[in-house]
Amino acid sequence: MAETNAAGPARLRRATPKAEPAAASPRRRLRGSGACLLLAVSLLFTGCGSSEQHGTASAPLPAPPATLQDAQGDLTQQAARYLYLAEGRLVAQCMADAGFEYVVREPPDQVLAGARAANYGRLTVTTARRHGYSSPLRVNDAISKFVSDDPNHAYLASLSQSRRQNYPVALFGHDDTRITINLPDGESITTNRDGCTSQARRLLYGPDLATWLRNQFIASNLNLEVHRRVTTDPAYLKAVNEWRTCMKGRHQAFATPEAARQAAARSRGGDEAGSTPAAAEITIAVADAECQRGSRLVNVAERLDRRYRTGASTERSTEISAYRLARAEAVRRAPGLV
């Protein structure tokens, strides 16, 4: 059984809710690039802080949003941003009580977007010739940059050894307070009961931390669950085999489309979102686009995605509804806490 650590927050005396602190999200061994991205998003939510840190000021908290939810019941972009920053402030206030700084940053839209339909890499030959894989890479790049640019890393490194050891305890709590939360797929996540992250979550989402984290993880991972089902379906595997054969015929030996995109990304070097695609990327992307068309790989994936998404959404409807309701209530509760 894989185990994820949802990192439990430290003691939070004052409150200023934040959306879903990164560091306070479950650590579970997820597989694939989508999983890595998900964990990265989780981690960035804990990169919040007090007022100023090495010249970096925390983002201001906007006015409460006029509209909380969209037609599907998800938070609007404005509400999600407000909740993210409010939760960050709660964590920051708690960390200040513990004697530490904690910078709360304005999140990019990609962080607030939440679970979107899976991207199976649909690519046209025209786009591939002009831009390579630039479009599919941008969302991941924006989130990765947000994580890597976190000013709290530099603050932590500047602390003495003893304070460096106490910082994560204040933020995530003590391991001897750890609780395990079982998930429907048989895996589990863990979090600590104390710590600023857990305290902030209790203030915003209610005292039952385990239920909140379980619902959050299930709702946030719906895309991964659907993607897993799609990519293990016999129809998809057959299309991938046809795509692979086509790619070999173009002197591009990749086992999967993801492997091809990763190789293309490596050819760019550092800034994948902003740099000009290398000739190697263009070559791979054009071959991929041609082979997608011949194997109908993306068409197969998107058809399967619709089928499995309907089933998974129905199976997880209770948790998803509870997650949406808790977030909406947290936005309403936040002004009295911040």
Side-chain angles (χ1 to χ4, degrees), residues 235-248 255 295 297:
Y236 179 83
L237 295 176
K238 179 176 181 294
V240 169
N241 189 54
E242 293 175 3
W243 174 90
R244 187 184 303 121
T245 300
C246 174
M247 290 290 281
K248 284 182 180 177
S295 64
L297 175 62

